[in-house]
Amino acid sequence: MTKTVTGATILGCAGLTLDAGEYAFFREADPWGFILFGRNVDGPEQLRRLTGDLRAAVGRDAVIFIDQEGGRVQRLRAPHWREWLPPLEQAALADPVRSFWLRGRIQAAELRDVGIDGNCAPTCDIAGPETHPFLRNRCLGTDPEAVTRNARATANGLLAGGVLPVMKHMPGHGRAEADSHKDLPHVEASHGDLSAWDFEPFRALSDLPLGMTGHIRFTALDPAPATQSARIVSLMRDEIGFDGLLMTDDLGMQALSGTMGERAEASLAAGCDVVLHCNGDRAEMEQVADRAGRLSPAAARRADAALAARIAPEKIDIAALDAELEGLLGGGLHG
């Protein structure tokens, strides 16, 4: 049973430390979780202080997320942390399943060390010839079977290390030819084609605890973006079979329209469980928190189930895992 029903939000902070105003705002808004970006990262000690302060602000062990996919999209970077190959490059190397489990497990160790226990990965979109460059090399393969195998291995490695994976971007971003940070992509494939190809990795991984929507218009399904489409969210639940906690992609992306509060309200009305707002802008977050309200009973149930998957990891020999991964990748972790 849920003991505390939090805000239906995941929020970012502005910088390397929390000021008194941010601390007070987070205590009042009580977001379910937080998300960090490069602007929030200087070094390990600073990050441990920040993650500790975020949890202190809400008075509980809230999940703190980051995007640590590897390649272009990783917020923890050298010299303090490992540099990772782009996922699609690693997928082309020998024994990708083992190498992606090792990658997830080592990443989890790095993240947990600084108080982060959620990773917005794996990307379960399928890379194709039309996939926009902002996304393509972040994918884990070029067909449903490869994406499913590599995403499962990544998720299992993260979970074994006590970090919650977030599969994205539901129900599939691979056909999109536009960057949803800047525009609303339109995908014109039929429902049948989407189900047989794009949806398949998400269907195969529907037991994972968390998923993230994509801001994409599927013209055969609904004129609204998937994040704000009750029909498409219902499809994620029923046809894909996902009963985990469903978060939106960042509300600040230009694929969506309206005020931040309107974007939050429309996303939750469509059936998303929590809304994600990333840029740390206080005025925008106040709008989002006000319109998002608290977790619904169904969302609270899913949130509790996700938290139950956040285990304390067993101790492992990271040096040995590093050496094994280096061997599988032909001599280097680095991109």
Side-chain angles (χ1 to χ4, degrees), residues 40-89:
N40 308 122
V41 176
D42 182 37
E45 289 302 323
Q46 168 268 327
L47 203 44
R48 291 184 194 109
R49 287 193 297 272
L50 178 58
T51 54
D53 288 346
L54 288 168
R55 291 190 171 104
V58 294
R60 58 188 158 78
D61 189 15
V63 183
I64 299 178
F65 296 93
I66 202 163
D67 293 288
Q68 192 72 354
E69 298 175 12
R72 290 178 297 109
V73 180
Q74 63 175 83
R75 314 305 182 194
L76 306 187
R77 309 205 76 113
H80 299 295
W81 297 281
R82 294 163 179 81
E83 293 284 337
W84 298 94
L85 286 171
L88 194 61
E89 290 186 23

mmCIF file of all heavy atoms in Angstrom, residues 40-89:
data_model
loop_
_atom_site.group_PDB
_atom_site.id
_atom_site.type_symbol
_atom_site.label_atom_id
_atom_site.label_comp_id
_atom_site.label_asym_id
_atom_site.label_seq_id
_atom_site.Cartn_x
_atom_site.Cartn_y
_atom_site.Cartn_z
ATOM 1 N N ASN A 40 24.298 20.305 -13.772
ATOM 2 C CA ASN A 40 24.261 19.942 -12.352
ATOM 3 C C ASN A 40 25.478 19.142 -11.921
ATOM 4 O O ASN A 40 25.535 18.728 -10.760
ATOM 5 C CB ASN A 40 23.014 19.118 -12.048
ATOM 6 C CG ASN A 40 21.726 19.761 -12.515
ATOM 7 O OD1 ASN A 40 20.989 19.161 -13.310
ATOM 8 N ND2 ASN A 40 21.444 20.974 -12.069
ATOM 9 N N VAL A 41 26.426 18.926 -12.828
ATOM 10 C CA VAL A 41 27.515 17.974 -12.568
ATOM 11 C C VAL A 41 28.860 18.687 -12.660
ATOM 12 O O VAL A 41 29.199 19.294 -13.692
ATOM 13 C CB VAL A 41 27.478 16.810 -13.582
ATOM 14 C CG1 VAL A 41 28.661 15.876 -13.367
ATOM 15 C CG2 VAL A 41 26.164 16.046 -13.479
ATOM 16 N N ASP A 42 29.635 18.602 -11.563
ATOM 17 C CA ASP A 42 31.013 19.088 -11.563
ATOM 18 C C ASP A 42 31.977 17.964 -11.229
ATOM 19 O O ASP A 42 32.898 17.674 -11.972
ATOM 20 C CB ASP A 42 31.150 20.240 -10.568
ATOM 21 C CG ASP A 42 32.556 20.813 -10.552
ATOM 22 O OD1 ASP A 42 33.174 20.888 -11.629
ATOM 23 O OD2 ASP A 42 33.042 21.185 -9.461
ATOM 24 N N GLY A 43 31.743 17.289 -10.120
ATOM 25 C CA GLY A 43 32.598 16.184 -9.715
ATOM 26 C C GLY A 43 31.872 15.296 -8.735
ATOM 27 O O GLY A 43 30.755 15.603 -8.290
ATOM 28 N N PRO A 44 32.482 14.185 -8.350
ATOM 29 C CA PRO A 44 31.791 13.221 -7.494
ATOM 30 C C PRO A 44 31.346 13.784 -6.148
ATOM 31 O O PRO A 44 30.210 13.552 -5.726
ATOM 32 C CB PRO A 44 32.827 12.099 -7.326
ATOM 33 C CG PRO A 44 33.663 12.181 -8.564
ATOM 34 C CD PRO A 44 33.757 13.640 -8.878
ATOM 35 N N GLU A 45 32.198 14.511 -5.451
ATOM 36 C CA GLU A 45 31.816 15.014 -4.126
ATOM 37 C C GLU A 45 30.669 16.009 -4.233
ATOM 38 O O GLU A 45 29.723 15.983 -3.438
ATOM 39 C CB GLU A 45 33.026 15.635 -3.432
ATOM 40 C CG GLU A 45 34.060 14.620 -2.986
ATOM 41 C CD GLU A 45 33.469 13.581 -2.027
ATOM 42 O OE1 GLU A 45 32.616 13.946 -1.183
ATOM 43 O OE2 GLU A 45 33.839 12.393 -2.149
ATOM 44 N N GLN A 46 30.763 16.909 -5.222
ATOM 45 C CA GLN A 46 29.670 17.879 -5.427
ATOM 46 C C GLN A 46 28.365 17.161 -5.721
ATOM 47 O O GLN A 46 27.299 17.523 -5.208
ATOM 48 C CB GLN A 46 30.043 18.820 -6.586
ATOM 49 C CG GLN A 46 28.913 19.676 -7.101
ATOM 50 C CD GLN A 46 28.162 19.025 -8.261
ATOM 51 O OE1 GLN A 46 28.745 18.302 -9.072
ATOM 52 N NE2 GLN A 46 26.867 19.261 -8.331
ATOM 53 N N LEU A 47 28.437 16.110 -6.542
ATOM 54 C CA LEU A 47 27.217 15.413 -6.940
ATOM 55 C C LEU A 47 26.614 14.647 -5.762
ATOM 56 O O LEU A 47 25.386 14.606 -5.604
ATOM 57 C CB LEU A 47 27.548 14.472 -8.098
ATOM 58 C CG LEU A 47 26.425 14.048 -9.032
ATOM 59 C CD1 LEU A 47 25.533 15.203 -9.427
ATOM 60 C CD2 LEU A 47 27.009 13.376 -10.271
ATOM 61 N N ARG A 48 27.448 14.073 -4.920
ATOM 62 C CA ARG A 48 26.921 13.404 -3.731
ATOM 63 C C ARG A 48 26.206 14.396 -2.812
ATOM 64 O O ARG A 48 25.158 14.084 -2.237
ATOM 65 C CB ARG A 48 28.054 12.706 -2.968
ATOM 66 C CG ARG A 48 28.639 11.509 -3.709
ATOM 67 C CD ARG A 48 29.692 10.789 -2.868
ATOM 68 N NE ARG A 48 30.446 9.884 -3.728
ATOM 69 C CZ ARG A 48 31.709 10.071 -4.105
ATOM 70 N NH1 ARG A 48 32.382 11.142 -3.681
ATOM 71 N NH2 ARG A 48 32.313 9.208 -4.906
ATOM 72 N N ARG A 49 26.776 15.601 -2.682
ATOM 73 C CA ARG A 49 26.102 16.601 -1.852
ATOM 74 C C ARG A 49 24.762 17.002 -2.464
ATOM 75 O O ARG A 49 23.747 17.131 -1.755
ATOM 76 C CB ARG A 49 26.991 17.836 -1.688
ATOM 77 C CG ARG A 49 28.176 17.646 -0.762
ATOM 78 C CD ARG A 49 28.823 18.962 -0.408
ATOM 79 N NE ARG A 49 29.370 19.627 -1.582
ATOM 80 C CZ ARG A 49 30.603 19.435 -2.052
ATOM 81 N NH1 ARG A 49 31.417 18.586 -1.430
ATOM 82 N NH2 ARG A 49 31.032 20.090 -3.118
ATOM 83 N N LEU A 50 24.737 17.187 -3.784
ATOM 84 C CA LEU A 50 23.505 17.615 -4.444
ATOM 85 C C LEU A 50 22.421 16.550 -4.342
ATOM 86 O O LEU A 50 21.267 16.857 -4.006
ATOM 87 C CB LEU A 50 23.786 17.947 -5.913
ATOM 88 C CG LEU A 50 22.569 18.362 -6.752
ATOM 89 C CD1 LEU A 50 21.882 19.587 -6.161
ATOM 90 C CD2 LEU A 50 22.979 18.608 -8.204
ATOM 91 N N THR A 51 22.757 15.307 -4.612
ATOM 92 C CA THR A 51 21.736 14.259 -4.533
ATOM 93 C C THR A 51 21.238 14.097 -3.095
ATOM 94 O O THR A 51 20.052 13.859 -2.859
ATOM 95 C CB THR A 51 22.263 12.919 -5.084
ATOM 96 O OG1 THR A 51 23.483 12.555 -4.422
ATOM 97 C CG2 THR A 51 22.518 13.017 -6.588
ATOM 98 N N GLY A 52 22.141 14.253 -2.137
ATOM 99 C CA GLY A 52 21.708 14.199 -0.746
ATOM 100 C C GLY A 52 20.776 15.339 -0.392
ATOM 101 O O GLY A 52 19.769 15.151 0.312
ATOM 102 N N ASP A 53 21.062 16.548 -0.882
ATOM 103 C CA ASP A 53 20.212 17.701 -0.601
ATOM 104 C C ASP A 53 18.851 17.573 -1.268
ATOM 105 O O ASP A 53 17.826 17.989 -0.695
ATOM 106 C CB ASP A 53 20.900 18.983 -1.065
ATOM 107 C CG ASP A 53 22.083 19.374 -0.185
ATOM 108 O OD1 ASP A 53 22.216 18.818 0.929
ATOM 109 O OD2 ASP A 53 22.888 20.228 -0.617
ATOM 110 N N LEU A 54 18.801 17.023 -2.480
ATOM 111 C CA LEU A 54 17.510 16.833 -3.150
ATOM 112 C C LEU A 54 16.624 15.897 -2.338
ATOM 113 O O LEU A 54 15.429 16.155 -2.134
ATOM 114 C CB LEU A 54 17.722 16.281 -4.559
ATOM 115 C CG LEU A 54 18.307 17.262 -5.582
ATOM 116 C CD1 LEU A 54 18.744 16.524 -6.839
ATOM 117 C CD2 LEU A 54 17.297 18.351 -5.938
ATOM 118 N N ARG A 55 17.193 14.816 -1.848
ATOM 119 C CA ARG A 55 16.395 13.877 -1.052
ATOM 120 C C ARG A 55 16.000 14.496 0.289
ATOM 121 O O ARG A 55 14.889 14.271 0.785
ATOM 122 C CB ARG A 55 17.161 12.571 -0.863
ATOM 123 C CG ARG A 55 17.309 11.788 -2.166
ATOM 124 C CD ARG A 55 17.859 10.389 -1.962
ATOM 125 N NE ARG A 55 17.768 9.631 -3.198
ATOM 126 C CZ ARG A 55 18.801 9.365 -4.004
ATOM 127 N NH1 ARG A 55 20.025 9.779 -3.706
ATOM 128 N NH2 ARG A 55 18.615 8.676 -5.125
ATOM 129 N N ALA A 56 16.896 15.278 0.867
ATOM 130 C CA ALA A 56 16.555 15.937 2.128
ATOM 131 C C ALA A 56 15.393 16.909 1.937
ATOM 132 O O ALA A 56 14.550 17.056 2.832
ATOM 133 C CB ALA A 56 17.774 16.670 2.683
ATOM 134 N N ALA A 57 15.334 17.558 0.785
ATOM 135 C CA ALA A 57 14.276 18.534 0.535
ATOM 136 C C ALA A 57 12.894 17.890 0.577
ATOM 137 O O ALA A 57 11.932 18.503 1.041
ATOM 138 C CB ALA A 57 14.499 19.232 -0.806
ATOM 139 N N VAL A 58 12.784 16.650 0.075
ATOM 140 C CA VAL A 58 11.476 15.983 0.078
ATOM 141 C C VAL A 58 11.319 15.011 1.245
ATOM 142 O O VAL A 58 10.252 14.434 1.437
ATOM 143 C CB VAL A 58 11.211 15.257 -1.264
ATOM 144 C CG1 VAL A 58 11.087 16.276 -2.396
ATOM 145 C CG2 VAL A 58 12.294 14.231 -1.588
ATOM 146 N N GLY A 59 12.389 14.811 2.004
ATOM 147 C CA GLY A 59 12.293 13.990 3.202
ATOM 148 C C GLY A 59 12.132 12.513 2.962
ATOM 149 O O GLY A 59 11.581 11.802 3.819
ATOM 150 N N ARG A 60 12.635 12.011 1.822
ATOM 151 C CA ARG A 60 12.524 10.579 1.541
ATOM 152 C C ARG A 60 13.564 10.221 0.482
ATOM 153 O O ARG A 60 14.199 11.101 -0.108
ATOM 154 C CB ARG A 60 11.117 10.203 1.071
ATOM 155 C CG ARG A 60 10.661 10.926 -0.136
ATOM 156 C CD ARG A 60 9.193 10.692 -0.495
ATOM 157 N NE ARG A 60 8.730 11.791 -1.306
ATOM 158 C CZ ARG A 60 8.979 11.946 -2.599
ATOM 159 N NH1 ARG A 60 9.678 11.013 -3.243
ATOM 160 N NH2 ARG A 60 8.535 12.987 -3.256
ATOM 161 N N ASP A 61 13.674 8.921 0.236
ATOM 162 C CA ASP A 61 14.673 8.405 -0.704
ATOM 163 C C ASP A 61 14.119 8.451 -2.132
ATOM 164 O O ASP A 61 13.885 7.415 -2.760
ATOM 165 C CB ASP A 61 15.050 6.977 -0.298
ATOM 166 C CG ASP A 61 16.240 6.450 -1.077
ATOM 167 O OD1 ASP A 61 16.951 7.259 -1.708
ATOM 168 O OD2 ASP A 61 16.448 5.223 -1.070
ATOM 169 N N ALA A 62 13.892 9.657 -2.622
ATOM 170 C CA ALA A 62 13.332 9.835 -3.961
ATOM 171 C C ALA A 62 14.301 9.321 -5.022
ATOM 172 O O ALA A 62 15.524 9.389 -4.863
ATOM 173 C CB ALA A 62 13.031 11.309 -4.218
ATOM 174 N N VAL A 63 13.753 8.831 -6.127
ATOM 175 C CA VAL A 63 14.583 8.396 -7.253
ATOM 176 C C VAL A 63 15.189 9.632 -7.921
ATOM 177 O O VAL A 63 14.507 10.642 -8.135
ATOM 178 C CB VAL A 63 13.764 7.614 -8.285
ATOM 179 C CG1 VAL A 63 14.667 7.111 -9.409
ATOM 180 C CG2 VAL A 63 13.050 6.446 -7.630
ATOM 181 N N ILE A 64 16.463 9.554 -8.242
ATOM 182 C CA ILE A 64 17.143 10.617 -8.980
ATOM 183 C C ILE A 64 17.645 10.032 -10.283
ATOM 184 O O ILE A 64 18.441 9.091 -10.297
ATOM 185 C CB ILE A 64 18.288 11.232 -8.165
ATOM 186 C CG1 ILE A 64 17.728 11.846 -6.868
ATOM 187 C CG2 ILE A 64 19.028 12.287 -8.977
ATOM 188 C CD1 ILE A 64 18.768 12.443 -5.957
ATOM 189 N N PHE A 65 17.140 10.588 -11.388
ATOM 190 C CA PHE A 65 17.426 10.095 -12.724
ATOM 191 C C PHE A 65 18.506 10.928 -13.403
ATOM 192 O O PHE A 65 18.775 12.075 -13.033
ATOM 193 C CB PHE A 65 16.164 10.165 -13.596
ATOM 194 C CG PHE A 65 15.035 9.287 -13.154
ATOM 195 C CD1 PHE A 65 14.043 9.773 -12.312
ATOM 196 C CD2 PHE A 65 14.953 7.967 -13.576
ATOM 197 C CE1 PHE A 65 12.990 8.971 -11.902
ATOM 198 C CE2 PHE A 65 13.908 7.151 -13.166
ATOM 199 C CZ PHE A 65 12.922 7.659 -12.323
ATOM 200 N N ILE A 66 19.080 10.329 -14.432
ATOM 201 C CA ILE A 66 20.007 11.018 -15.323
ATOM 202 C C ILE A 66 19.949 10.302 -16.666
ATOM 203 O O ILE A 66 19.462 9.169 -16.748
ATOM 204 C CB ILE A 66 21.439 11.011 -14.724
ATOM 205 C CG1 ILE A 66 22.303 12.135 -15.317
ATOM 206 C CG2 ILE A 66 22.107 9.635 -14.908
ATOM 207 C CD1 ILE A 66 23.554 12.436 -14.499
ATOM 208 N N ASP A 67 20.398 10.960 -17.719
ATOM 209 C CA ASP A 67 20.552 10.321 -19.031
ATOM 210 C C ASP A 67 22.004 9.893 -19.170
ATOM 211 O O ASP A 67 22.875 10.721 -19.433
ATOM 212 C CB ASP A 67 20.197 11.286 -20.168
ATOM 213 C CG ASP A 67 18.736 11.656 -20.192
ATOM 214 O OD1 ASP A 67 17.932 10.795 -20.562
ATOM 215 O OD2 ASP A 67 18.395 12.805 -19.850
ATOM 216 N N GLN A 68 22.257 8.620 -18.983
ATOM 217 C CA GLN A 68 23.614 8.086 -19.117
ATOM 218 C C GLN A 68 23.566 6.945 -20.120
ATOM 219 O O GLN A 68 23.836 5.785 -19.809
ATOM 220 C CB GLN A 68 24.155 7.637 -17.753
ATOM 221 C CG GLN A 68 25.645 7.332 -17.719
ATOM 222 C CD GLN A 68 26.523 8.565 -17.803
ATOM 223 O OE1 GLN A 68 26.044 9.671 -18.001
ATOM 224 N NE2 GLN A 68 27.826 8.389 -17.677
ATOM 225 N N GLU A 69 23.187 7.288 -21.357
ATOM 226 C CA GLU A 69 23.089 6.281 -22.417
ATOM 227 C C GLU A 69 24.463 5.866 -22.908
ATOM 228 O O GLU A 69 24.706 4.703 -23.204
ATOM 229 C CB GLU A 69 22.303 6.848 -23.607
ATOM 230 C CG GLU A 69 20.868 7.226 -23.320
ATOM 231 C CD GLU A 69 20.225 7.881 -24.534
ATOM 232 O OE1 GLU A 69 20.809 7.836 -25.645
ATOM 233 O OE2 GLU A 69 19.140 8.451 -24.369
ATOM 234 N N GLY A 70 25.366 6.834 -23.052
ATOM 235 C CA GLY A 70 26.652 6.633 -23.702
ATOM 236 C C GLY A 70 26.696 7.359 -25.026
ATOM 237 O O GLY A 70 25.663 7.734 -25.600
ATOM 238 N N GLY A 71 27.903 7.583 -25.534
ATOM 239 C CA GLY A 71 28.026 8.368 -26.760
ATOM 240 C C GLY A 71 27.709 9.833 -26.486
ATOM 241 O O GLY A 71 28.141 10.399 -25.482
ATOM 242 N N ARG A 72 26.913 10.432 -27.350
ATOM 243 C CA ARG A 72 26.598 11.860 -27.209
ATOM 244 C C ARG A 72 25.760 12.148 -25.975
ATOM 245 O O ARG A 72 25.814 13.248 -25.421
ATOM 246 C CB ARG A 72 25.839 12.359 -28.445
ATOM 247 C CG ARG A 72 26.666 12.445 -29.709
ATOM 248 C CD ARG A 72 25.822 12.904 -30.885
ATOM 249 N NE ARG A 72 24.761 11.960 -31.207
ATOM 250 C CZ ARG A 72 23.468 12.175 -30.981
ATOM 251 N NH1 ARG A 72 23.060 13.286 -30.423
ATOM 252 N NH2 ARG A 72 22.581 11.260 -31.332
ATOM 253 N N VAL A 73 24.958 11.178 -25.565
ATOM 254 C CA VAL A 73 24.013 11.420 -24.464
ATOM 255 C C VAL A 73 24.512 10.711 -23.212
ATOM 256 O O VAL A 73 24.155 9.568 -22.921
ATOM 257 C CB VAL A 73 22.587 10.977 -24.846
ATOM 258 C CG1 VAL A 73 21.626 11.240 -23.697
ATOM 259 C CG2 VAL A 73 22.120 11.711 -26.098
ATOM 260 N N GLN A 74 25.400 11.390 -22.506
ATOM 261 C CA GLN A 74 25.808 10.949 -21.178
ATOM 262 C C GLN A 74 26.229 12.187 -20.407
ATOM 263 O O GLN A 74 26.987 13.025 -20.890
ATOM 264 C CB GLN A 74 26.904 9.898 -21.220
ATOM 265 C CG GLN A 74 28.238 10.300 -21.828
ATOM 266 C CD GLN A 74 29.265 9.188 -21.688
ATOM 267 O OE1 GLN A 74 29.315 8.257 -22.470
ATOM 268 N NE2 GLN A 74 30.098 9.288 -20.654
ATOM 269 N N ARG A 75 25.673 12.317 -19.219
ATOM 270 C CA ARG A 75 25.883 13.535 -18.423
ATOM 271 C C ARG A 75 27.105 13.436 -17.529
ATOM 272 O O ARG A 75 27.676 14.449 -17.142
ATOM 273 C CB ARG A 75 24.648 13.832 -17.566
ATOM 274 C CG ARG A 75 23.320 13.733 -18.288
ATOM 275 C CD ARG A 75 23.228 14.588 -19.529
ATOM 276 N NE ARG A 75 21.903 14.460 -20.133
ATOM 277 C CZ ARG A 75 21.599 14.863 -21.360
ATOM 278 N NH1 ARG A 75 22.532 15.391 -22.129
ATOM 279 N NH2 ARG A 75 20.373 14.710 -21.828
ATOM 280 N N LEU A 76 27.496 12.219 -17.159
ATOM 281 C CA LEU A 76 28.725 12.020 -16.394
ATOM 282 C C LEU A 76 29.832 11.653 -17.373
ATOM 283 O O LEU A 76 29.731 10.644 -18.073
ATOM 284 C CB LEU A 76 28.551 10.900 -15.360
ATOM 285 C CG LEU A 76 27.372 11.000 -14.387
ATOM 286 C CD1 LEU A 76 27.466 9.898 -13.333
ATOM 287 C CD2 LEU A 76 27.279 12.361 -13.755
ATOM 288 N N ARG A 77 30.891 12.463 -17.404
ATOM 289 C CA ARG A 77 31.916 12.287 -18.428
ATOM 290 C C ARG A 77 33.307 12.329 -17.790
ATOM 291 O O ARG A 77 33.469 12.622 -16.609
ATOM 292 C CB ARG A 77 31.803 13.382 -19.494
ATOM 293 C CG ARG A 77 30.396 13.554 -20.081
ATOM 294 C CD ARG A 77 30.433 14.150 -21.475
ATOM 295 N NE ARG A 77 30.846 13.145 -22.433
ATOM 296 C CZ ARG A 77 30.056 12.646 -23.381
ATOM 297 N NH1 ARG A 77 28.808 13.051 -23.507
ATOM 298 N NH2 ARG A 77 30.518 11.742 -24.230
ATOM 299 N N ALA A 78 34.312 12.016 -18.625
ATOM 300 C CA ALA A 78 35.702 12.104 -18.201
ATOM 301 C C ALA A 78 35.981 13.554 -17.753
ATOM 302 O O ALA A 78 35.348 14.483 -18.263
ATOM 303 C CB ALA A 78 36.614 11.699 -19.352
ATOM 304 N N PRO A 79 36.892 13.753 -16.802
ATOM 305 C CA PRO A 79 37.851 12.769 -16.289
ATOM 306 C C PRO A 79 37.357 11.954 -15.095
ATOM 307 O O PRO A 79 38.058 11.035 -14.667
ATOM 308 C CB PRO A 79 39.023 13.653 -15.861
ATOM 309 C CG PRO A 79 38.350 14.914 -15.383
ATOM 310 C CD PRO A 79 37.184 15.116 -16.310
ATOM 311 N N HIS A 80 36.195 12.272 -14.563
ATOM 312 C CA HIS A 80 35.762 11.583 -13.350
ATOM 313 C C HIS A 80 35.057 10.261 -13.644
ATOM 314 O O HIS A 80 34.989 9.391 -12.774
ATOM 315 C CB HIS A 80 34.822 12.477 -12.543
ATOM 316 C CG HIS A 80 35.446 13.751 -12.081
ATOM 317 N ND1 HIS A 80 36.493 13.793 -11.185
ATOM 318 C CD2 HIS A 80 35.187 15.039 -12.420
ATOM 319 C CE1 HIS A 80 36.841 15.040 -10.971
ATOM 320 N NE2 HIS A 80 36.066 15.817 -11.708
ATOM 321 N N TRP A 81 34.498 10.131 -14.847
ATOM 322 C CA TRP A 81 33.708 8.946 -15.178
ATOM 323 C C TRP A 81 34.119 8.410 -16.544
ATOM 324 O O TRP A 81 34.761 9.094 -17.343
ATOM 325 C CB TRP A 81 32.222 9.287 -15.162
ATOM 326 C CG TRP A 81 31.754 9.719 -13.808
ATOM 327 C CD1 TRP A 81 31.449 8.915 -12.744
ATOM 328 C CD2 TRP A 81 31.556 11.069 -13.337
ATOM 329 N NE1 TRP A 81 31.065 9.671 -11.656
ATOM 330 C CE2 TRP A 81 31.123 10.988 -11.994
ATOM 331 C CE3 TRP A 81 31.696 12.327 -13.941
ATOM 332 C CZ2 TRP A 81 30.836 12.128 -11.229
ATOM 333 C CZ3 TRP A 81 31.421 13.455 -13.176
ATOM 334 C CH2 TRP A 81 30.992 13.345 -11.841
ATOM 335 N N ARG A 82 33.717 7.182 -16.835
ATOM 336 C CA ARG A 82 34.062 6.542 -18.098
ATOM 337 C C ARG A 82 33.330 7.209 -19.259
ATOM 338 O O ARG A 82 32.201 7.679 -19.107
ATOM 339 C CB ARG A 82 33.676 5.049 -18.049
ATOM 340 C CG ARG A 82 34.451 4.218 -17.051
ATOM 341 C CD ARG A 82 33.735 2.909 -16.775
ATOM 342 N NE ARG A 82 34.442 2.056 -15.825
ATOM 343 C CZ ARG A 82 34.407 2.192 -14.506
ATOM 344 N NH1 ARG A 82 33.710 3.173 -13.963
ATOM 345 N NH2 ARG A 82 35.066 1.360 -13.727
ATOM 346 N N GLU A 83 33.967 7.200 -20.405
ATOM 347 C CA GLU A 83 33.309 7.574 -21.658
ATOM 348 C C GLU A 83 32.850 6.282 -22.335
ATOM 349 O O GLU A 83 33.611 5.312 -22.421
ATOM 350 C CB GLU A 83 34.267 8.333 -22.571
ATOM 351 C CG GLU A 83 34.688 9.694 -22.049
ATOM 352 C CD GLU A 83 33.597 10.746 -22.196
ATOM 353 O OE1 GLU A 83 32.715 10.577 -23.065
ATOM 354 O OE2 GLU A 83 33.623 11.738 -21.433
ATOM 355 N N TRP A 84 31.604 6.283 -22.823
ATOM 356 C CA TRP A 84 31.003 5.068 -23.371
ATOM 357 C C TRP A 84 30.790 5.195 -24.867
ATOM 358 O O TRP A 84 30.464 6.275 -25.374
ATOM 359 C CB TRP A 84 29.662 4.808 -22.686
ATOM 360 C CG TRP A 84 29.789 4.583 -21.222
ATOM 361 C CD1 TRP A 84 29.675 5.503 -20.223
ATOM 362 C CD2 TRP A 84 30.108 3.346 -20.579
ATOM 363 N NE1 TRP A 84 29.887 4.915 -19.009
ATOM 364 C CE2 TRP A 84 30.152 3.599 -19.190
ATOM 365 C CE3 TRP A 84 30.352 2.049 -21.056
ATOM 366 C CZ2 TRP A 84 30.433 2.596 -18.266
ATOM 367 C CZ3 TRP A 84 30.620 1.058 -20.120
ATOM 368 C CH2 TRP A 84 30.672 1.330 -18.751
ATOM 369 N N LEU A 85 30.949 4.095 -25.569
ATOM 370 C CA LEU A 85 30.639 4.070 -26.994
ATOM 371 C C LEU A 85 29.170 4.406 -27.231
ATOM 372 O O LEU A 85 28.310 4.079 -26.396
ATOM 373 C CB LEU A 85 30.896 2.677 -27.567
ATOM 374 C CG LEU A 85 32.329 2.221 -27.771
ATOM 375 C CD1 LEU A 85 32.337 0.736 -28.132
ATOM 376 C CD2 LEU A 85 33.004 3.030 -28.871
ATOM 377 N N PRO A 86 28.839 5.024 -28.371
ATOM 378 C CA PRO A 86 27.432 5.124 -28.734
ATOM 379 C C PRO A 86 26.814 3.732 -28.781
ATOM 380 O O PRO A 86 27.446 2.773 -29.245
ATOM 381 C CB PRO A 86 27.468 5.768 -30.126
ATOM 382 C CG PRO A 86 28.775 6.505 -30.170
ATOM 383 C CD PRO A 86 29.720 5.661 -29.367
ATOM 384 N N PRO A 87 25.590 3.555 -28.295
ATOM 385 C CA PRO A 87 25.000 2.218 -28.237
ATOM 386 C C PRO A 87 24.994 1.476 -29.569
ATOM 387 O O PRO A 87 25.276 0.265 -29.602
ATOM 388 C CB PRO A 87 23.581 2.492 -27.730
ATOM 389 C CG PRO A 87 23.734 3.708 -26.881
ATOM 390 C CD PRO A 87 24.750 4.551 -27.593
ATOM 391 N N LEU A 88 24.677 2.166 -30.667
ATOM 392 C CA LEU A 88 24.600 1.462 -31.946
ATOM 393 C C LEU A 88 25.960 0.943 -32.382
ATOM 394 O O LEU A 88 26.054 -0.111 -33.031
ATOM 395 C CB LEU A 88 23.998 2.375 -33.022
ATOM 396 C CG LEU A 88 23.557 1.690 -34.310
ATOM 397 C CD1 LEU A 88 22.471 0.645 -34.046
ATOM 398 C CD2 LEU A 88 23.053 2.716 -35.326
ATOM 399 N N GLU A 89 27.035 1.646 -32.020
ATOM 400 C CA GLU A 89 28.383 1.149 -32.331
ATOM 401 C C GLU A 89 28.693 -0.095 -31.514
ATOM 402 O O GLU A 89 29.243 -1.070 -32.033
ATOM 403 C CB GLU A 89 29.420 2.239 -32.067
ATOM 404 C CG GLU A 89 29.375 3.399 -33.050
ATOM 405 C CD GLU A 89 30.518 4.373 -32.828
ATOM 406 O OE1 GLU A 89 31.568 3.990 -32.256
ATOM 407 O OE2 GLU A 89 30.350 5.545 -33.229
#
